[in-house]
Amino acid sequence: MSEAEFSIIESLEGVDEQQWQALAGDNPTLAYRFLHTLHTTRCACPQTGWTPRYLVMYRDGVLHGAMPLYLKHHSRGEYVFDHAWADAFHRNGIEYYPKLLSAVPFSPVTGSRLLARSTEDRALLARAVLQVARQLETSSLHILFPDEDDRQALAAAGFMLREGVQFHWENQGYADFDAFLAGFKMDKRKKIRQDRRRVFDAGITFQHLAGAAITPEVMAFFYQCYVSTYLAHGNKPYLSLAFFEQLRAQMAEHIMIVLAQRDGQPVAVALNLVGGGIMYGRYWGTTEFVSGLHFETCYVQAIEYCITHGIARFEGGAQGVHKMSRGLSPTPTWSAHWVADPRFAAAIGDFLAQETAAIEQYIDELAEHAPFK
């Protein structure tokens, strides 16, 4: 086997899309077009605090490994929170930013971060990215939402691991939605049916739109709702209409939109990504409050779609213990961290050991309150 050649690139433009896809697989958030569109629409760019520094590994001119990698000047859009670490650095007169980050911008979705053709190449990437962090003289390196294969390689390379929790739904081969509900405790099943009835009694009907059925008008309505959701929480939206329009044009086969309507007029919407037998709940918004509409649009309709189309898992996004009542279960997620300063590395390591124990206890406690029989 020829020797691997590593380099840092500032754009995906010079990377062969087919070679990238051979590494990225079916996860839509790792797709060449998804990542490249984030950059070309300037949602993730130096001006927004995301400076691409992708690590690529070639053998004989063929891409054998890659990492989505960014210099970050803030911690927004990551969903793994390290603000307390940044504050501790600042209080001690040490710069925390820029830091080095491997993640899909604005996407708390588990997937490969060490994109590689073999276990050996994955290990090479894990060691090489540490060298990049040292060469760039960053305070730290953070790899967010790696999958299990990555987690093993990162632990072997000396990274500290941090556990988190999300809420996912697993398809047990249900014949239909009623078969899924049959596994609930009676009071929980009754509550879901009451909530659904309340939504339908309000005159709301639903459409599932995928692929070519997603029109520019639907996407424009989605974006109106997406923006209003962020503004309602006092935040500026991360993504632009241009990003979603490009996504519709280039990756429509990976999008499923739940559109809520009354008398033919749109009322609410949820956008999901689909790939590799998994549906990822991403964004939602509404033009009015209807009791139960959020749960129905974001979770119940998504689960019903997964059952109908044989999709194995629905990942409901970051946070949200309230999702358990709709049949989503607490599921561990991970991140991996390296800190250059040995004093801070030791302190963070101690913190992570305590935090991991607390997270695991939290997951155990949540499991005791599952809605199932």
Side-chain angles (χ1 to χ4, degrees), residues 28-29 31-44 104-107 219 222-223 226 238-252 255 271 273 282-283:
T29 66
Y32 179 98
R33 294 182 181 184
F34 187 91
L35 292 166
H36 194 43
T37 299
L38 282 171
H39 304 149
T40 58
T41 57
R42 304 186 69 78
C43 295
V104 177
F106 322 118
S107 303
M219 192 59 80
F222 158 76
Y223 193 72
Y226 164 78
Y238 292 124
L239 301 172
S240 65
L241 178 57
F243 169 77
F244 288 108
E245 287 177 333
Q246 293 262 355
L247 208 63
R248 185 190 67 83
Q250 299 182 16
M251 294 181 61
I255 304 173
L271 186 147
L273 298 176
R282 296 306 303 118
Y283 308 106

Side-chain angles (χ1 to χ4, degrees), residues 247-323:
L247 208 63
R248 185 190 67 83
Q250 299 182 16
M251 294 181 61
E253 71 276 14
H254 291 290
I255 304 173
M256 194 286 279
I257 282 182
V258 176
L259 184 65
Q261 297 174 295
R262 181 194 293 112
D263 298 328
Q265 296 302 310
V267 175
V269 64
L271 186 147
N272 306 276
L273 298 176
V274 184
I278 305 173
M279 177 180 285
Y280 305 94
R282 296 306 303 118
Y283 308 106
W284 113 286
T286 183
T287 59
E288 64 177 271
F289 174 78
V290 176
S291 179
L293 183 59
H294 173 248
F295 276 126
E296 183 68 31
T297 308
C298 292
Y299 309 119
V300 178
Q301 288 290 318
I303 289 172
E304 199 161 35
Y305 184 90
C306 288
I307 292 172
T308 301
H309 293 82
I311 296 172
R313 186 162 78 246
F314 171 61
E315 299 189 4
Q319 304 171 343
V321 68
H322 59 277
K323 299 168 187 175

Side-chain angles (χ1 to χ4, degrees), residues 169-177 179-181 183 303 307-308 372:
W169 174 85
E170 299 288 340
N171 192 342
Q172 304 298 326
Y174 303 109
D176 52 31
F177 192 78
F180 165 58
L181 283 185
I303 289 172
I307 292 172
T308 301
F372 304 108

Side-chain angles (χ1 to χ4, degrees), residues 8-31:
I8 298 294
I9 59 174
E10 299 180 7
S11 169
L12 288 177
E13 287 183 356
V15 176
D16 181 89
E17 181 177 348
Q18 290 186 342
Q19 292 186 24
W20 179 276
Q21 285 304 122
L23 299 178
D26 296 326
N27 186 322
T29 66
L30 291 168

Side-chain angles (χ1 to χ4, degrees), residues 73-362:
H73 296 272
H74 55 67
S75 293
R76 297 188 295 276
E78 299 177 13
Y79 301 94
V80 175
F81 303 107
D82 61 351
H83 301 96
W85 303 359
D87 290 342
F89 271 67
H90 179 72
R91 288 196 305 270
N92 285 274
I94 301 173
E95 294 292 333
Y96 189 68
Y97 303 108
K99 65 180 182 179
L100 196 59
L101 181 81
S102 180
V104 177
F106 322 118
S107 303
V109 170
T110 292
S112 180
R113 301 295 177 255
L114 306 171
L115 305 179
R117 295 174 181 265
S118 68
T119 300
E120 293 75 17
D121 283 349
R122 194 175 293 111
L124 280 177
L125 282 171
R127 294 194 295 270
V129 74
L130 283 171
Q131 186 61 30
V132 171
R134 294 186 181 100
Q135 289 175 350
L136 294 177
E137 298 183 343
T138 55
S139 70
S140 51
L141 166 60
H142 311 268
I143 300 176
L144 309 186
F145 301 102
D147 63 17
E148 178 60 25
D149 289 339
D150 284 3
R151 185 160 68 97
Q152 294 181 15
L154 293 165
F159 283 80
M160 299 179 287
L161 298 179
R162 185 179 192 183
E163 189 172 359
V165 62
Q166 288 184 354
F167 296 85
H168 300 170
W169 174 85
E170 299 288 340
N171 192 342
Q172 304 298 326
Y174 303 109
D176 52 31
F177 192 78
D178 284 339
F180 165 58
L181 283 185
F184 278 65
K185 297 173 184 176
M186 185 175 66
D187 60 329
K188 304 297 185 182
R189 181 170 61 247
K190 182 179 179 181
K191 179 67 165 60
I192 289 178
R193 286 176 170 157
Q194 287 175 338
D195 289 347
R196 301 198 80 186
R197 190 176 303 114
R198 192 177 296 116
V199 173
F200 296 129
D201 287 347
I204 304 296
T205 60
F206 292 90
Q207 282 186 285
H208 299 157
L209 306 175
I214 303 172
T215 64
E217 292 76 18
V218 168
M219 192 59 80
F221 174 73
F222 158 76
Y223 193 72
Q224 171 192 341
C225 292
Y226 164 78
V227 170
S228 67
T229 298
Y230 271 81
L231 294 179
H233 291 87
N235 298 316
K236 181 181 178 182
Y238 292 124
L239 301 172
S240 65
L241 178 57
F243 169 77
F244 288 108
E245 287 177 333
Q246 293 262 355
L247 208 63
R248 185 190 67 83
Q250 299 182 16
M251 294 181 61
E253 71 276 14
H254 291 290
I255 304 173
M256 194 286 279
I257 282 182
V258 176
L259 184 65
Q261 297 174 295
R262 181 194 293 112
D263 298 328
Q265 296 302 310
V267 175
V269 64
L271 186 147
N272 306 276
L273 298 176
V274 184
I278 305 173
M279 177 180 285
Y280 305 94
R282 296 306 303 118
Y283 308 106
W284 113 286
T286 183
T287 59
E288 64 177 271
F289 174 78
V290 176
S291 179
L293 183 59
H294 173 248
F295 276 126
E296 183 68 31
T297 308
C298 292
Y299 309 119
V300 178
Q301 288 290 318
I303 289 172
E304 199 161 35
Y305 184 90
C306 288
I307 292 172
T308 301
H309 293 82
I311 296 172
R313 186 162 78 246
F314 171 61
E315 299 189 4
Q319 304 171 343
V321 68
H322 59 277
K323 299 168 187 175
M324 287 185 64
S325 64
R326 265 56 185 180
L328 283 74
S329 300
T331 305
T333 59
W334 297 91
S335 56
H337 307 268
W338 171 85
V339 178
D341 189 305
R343 299 165 300 171
F344 280 96
I348 289 173
D350 290 342
F351 165 78
L352 292 179
Q354 298 176 40
E355 184 186 53
T356 297
I359 289 289
E360 291 179 351
Q361 181 179 353
Y362 174 61

